[in-house]
Amino acid sequence: MAEKYDPNAVESKWQAFWEKSKLFKVKEDPEKEKYYLLEMFPYPSGKIHMGHVRNYTIGDVIARYKRMRGFNVLHPMGWDAFGMPAENAAIANKTHPAGWTYENIDTMRLQLKRLGFSYDWEREIATCTPEYYRWEQWLFVKMYEKGMAYRKESFVNWCDNCQTVLANEQVESGMCWRCSSQVRQKKLWQWFFRITDYAEDLLVYCDKLPGWPEKVTTMQKNWIGKSIGAEIRFPVDNSKESIAVFTTRQDTVFGATFMCLAPEHPLVISLSKGTPREKDVLEFVERMSGQDRSSRTLENYEKEGVFTGMYCINPLSGRRMPIYTANFALMEYGTGAVMSVPAHDQRDFDFAQKYGLDKVLVVKPYDKELDSNSMTEAYTGEGVLVNSGRFDGLENRKALDEIAEYLEEKNIGKKTVSFRLRDWGISRQRYWGTPIPMIHCKKCGMVPVPEKDLPVILPEDAALLEGGGSPLSTLDSFTRTVCPKCGSADAKRDTDTMDTFVESSWYFMRYCSPHFEDGIFDKNKVNYWMPVDQYIGGVEHAILHLLYSRYFTRVLKDLGLVEFKEPFDRLLTQGMVCKEIVTCPRHGFLFPEEVEETGADSVCKKCGSQVVVGRVEKMSKSKKNVIDPNILLEQYGADTTRLFCLFAAPPEKSLEWSDQGVEGGYRFLNRIWRFTWSCMDSIKDVEPFEGSPGELEGNVRELYVKIHQTIKKVSSDIEERFHFNTAISAVMELVNAMYAIDLKEKIDPAKAGVLKFAVQSVVLLLSPIVPHFAEELWKALGNETGILLTSWPSYREDAPVKMHSNLMTF
């Protein structure tokens, strides 16, 4: 081995060897227990960032560790390649989304290989390729045939300037995130998946995911949002229409004095038509279409509404109730209609105060008297029913069931369950996505594309329209087709593309047989590898991606394609990578390389001004508090970068960046290298000592005991908790103990054997973390078998195994 550690030479050598030997290639082996390790695949943005490095390093350590434990490990990688960022970049760089995407994939693949990740690259997939989305289209057709996919008119966020639909997350203060134009609500025909059919099952199984963080299952439960209550029908006065309302407070129905409909409710326009309020209602609805009225922003708005000019009848009290359209009523909750009870709901109380509407007290507190005319706030506590007809005197909670049963008895309502979860709208009026495989025929209506004609290819030579609009509807070569049912030559393809969450909802199964051409996947291989044993990704995906993946797995099970309903046994949500923000009074945010240290002060390299070091925040390009992984790889190498990412914090916690920490990690590896080199001549040809501690004496015995303590500690920290930081700290303690051995004294066979065992143990224990470094030392120690093919070290039960848990620093 070389006297000095040269990370670039070592890493390039072993990466070339791994690739040539196909060391990471894997296939099904019924004789071995499988372990499927998966990190959420990246969007090919052009460069990996430190969040990627941390995420994938965590996964790689687990994959390598499990392989050394004897598992048959599947560890694939691919690209979540469709979506708006590619379109935005294409517009900004005057290029095409396809070329931009494929070029970025090539760049990022090289970066990931340079970090030494043990991916089976022969399983690589990119969701923008026809070979992948062909099967997504096939699944869409199957879902359509089973009634799981349907089309209806729905309100969407629409940007007139960009001529496209925006997700709620892309609407910022009512403006388009791309062009800052006003966003409005527009009614369009959209495709939906019936995820609500699985709402109850998805909710129940949140409690059957013991390997998931509780915070994630709680977020999923809240998103599904099960509510038990009643549906009540309020007849519209002088009309055949009725308004269905879902409420969990049927005990307060006698106190309902007015009705509020969401501006998008289908009855709003029709009820006001021909009344003196028609103009006001239309103006209000138009104005509301320009508001971001998602649940997360609703509390920021003053509650307001407009009388529609019509009334409905309270079916229990007989009261004639004015019907309003109001901004706090949302179509995404319940039925889009709110039975307003101002005496017992603060939002309704505020609205009633503003518009001079009646308040009727129907729940009387146990300990005080209330007068609805003098109330200053709604009473939301428990009590006894009053002004509630035959139900007077009942405790309000006990009255819930009795009133619901009465509603059913009189056929004016029913007990029911409502979910916050809504069917998944998958239509996108964008170009860079999977074409929806449906044909519109004037005679036959909607007809699915026959399986033999799949995939419907996205034309990758199409130019984006001005402002980023999709060109698909303007391309006769794409839209014009023949109806497969009647043969009409006047049929047209659907020009919507699928939500990119569709691609990421089943990719983990395609990895099991990525080149399979006779179906969406090879069922036998999927049943061998799935479910994923350990899934790793950011908590920002805790709701939609994970929920949609769980839903898709249930769909595939119901179609007879898989035998399980949950895709991920265990889930790890890693913390963020953070760094302090640095600003210059003249130039604003600064990148780290734009700051120069001058003694005690730091100055801007551009102008020499003293900079201000702000708080530590998540690394962000916009705030320039980012570290380019390529700089670290050039200066310190992949292994030091990996080591720091794992040592600085437990994986579920945020990692605070430290240049000193990176430097310390590099020094630690050099320290191991120097020790190994200094004793190499004495230990290379010696067998490692494997006897009893009782055969040894003095500090050599102490070192031998320490080795076994460390093996147990590191094994436990990785196996049980993924706490790599404490595992590394334990190895650091062992290295300190190794340096306590005087190498200048005569090294007898027993001492040489213990030293050989110590060095080999350190190398083996660190090998999942710093694999290139470990391979080089392992080879230098005379081992012919590669370290990844070597078994994980075991420890002696007869050696004392108690270790201090103090976390060391580099």
Side-chain angles (χ1 to χ4, degrees), residues 298-425:
L298 193 59
E299 293 305 316
N300 298 329
Y301 292 116
E302 180 185 353
K303 308 302 178 285
E304 59 176 318
V306 172
F307 177 43
T308 63
M310 295 290 284
Y311 294 81
C312 62
I313 306 300
N314 187 317
L316 291 191
S317 71
R319 171 183 283 270
R320 191 166 178 257
M321 298 165 47
I323 304 171
Y324 280 73
T325 178
N327 66 343
F328 63 81
L330 301 175
M331 283 304 296
E332 62 191 78
Y333 287 108
T335 63
V338 176
M339 171 191 89
S340 297
V341 186
H344 302 289
D345 182 280
Q346 191 59 44
R347 177 195 56 193
D348 296 343
F349 183 94
D350 294 340
F351 193 87
Q353 289 286 87
K354 181 173 182 176
Y355 293 102
L357 299 167
D358 291 343
K359 296 184 283 291
V360 175
L361 184 76
V362 293
V363 180
K364 176 182 171 295
Y366 293 113
D367 56 351
K368 60 182 177 181
E369 296 293 328
L370 286 177
D371 179 2
S372 59
N373 294 318
S374 60
M375 292 174 70
T376 58
E377 62 180 2
Y379 175 67
T380 58
E382 297 187 7
V384 177
L385 293 191
V386 295
N387 300 318
S388 298
R390 62 186 290 166
F391 302 103
D392 280 354
L394 286 177
E395 292 184 359
N396 72 300
R397 289 298 169 192
K398 292 181 179 178
L400 288 168
D401 280 340
E402 291 201 27
I403 292 176
E405 288 168 3
Y406 182 77
L407 292 168
E408 290 188 341
E409 180 185 325
K410 297 298 181 182
N411 198 30
I412 52 178
K414 61 182 179 179
K415 291 181 181 179
T416 191
V417 173
S418 180
F419 290 93
R420 179 178 184 266
L421 181 68
R422 289 291 180 262
D423 279 344
W424 177 9

Side-chain angles (χ1 to χ4, degrees), residues 1-2 13-14 676-677 679-688 755-757 759-761 763-764 773-787 790:
M1 63 179 289
K13 167 187 171 181
W14 287 105
T676 305
W677 185 83
C679 66
M680 183 59 73
D681 290 342
S682 302
I683 67 173
K684 183 174 182 180
D685 298 321
V686 175
E687 289 297 315
L755 286 174
K756 178 72 170 281
F757 182 50
V759 174
Q760 285 206 159
S761 297
V763 172
L764 284 167
F773 178 88
E775 287 274 26
E776 185 71 9
L777 293 186
W778 188 250
K779 181 76 173 178
L781 288 166
N783 297 290
E784 294 299 325
T785 303
I787 201 163
T790 303

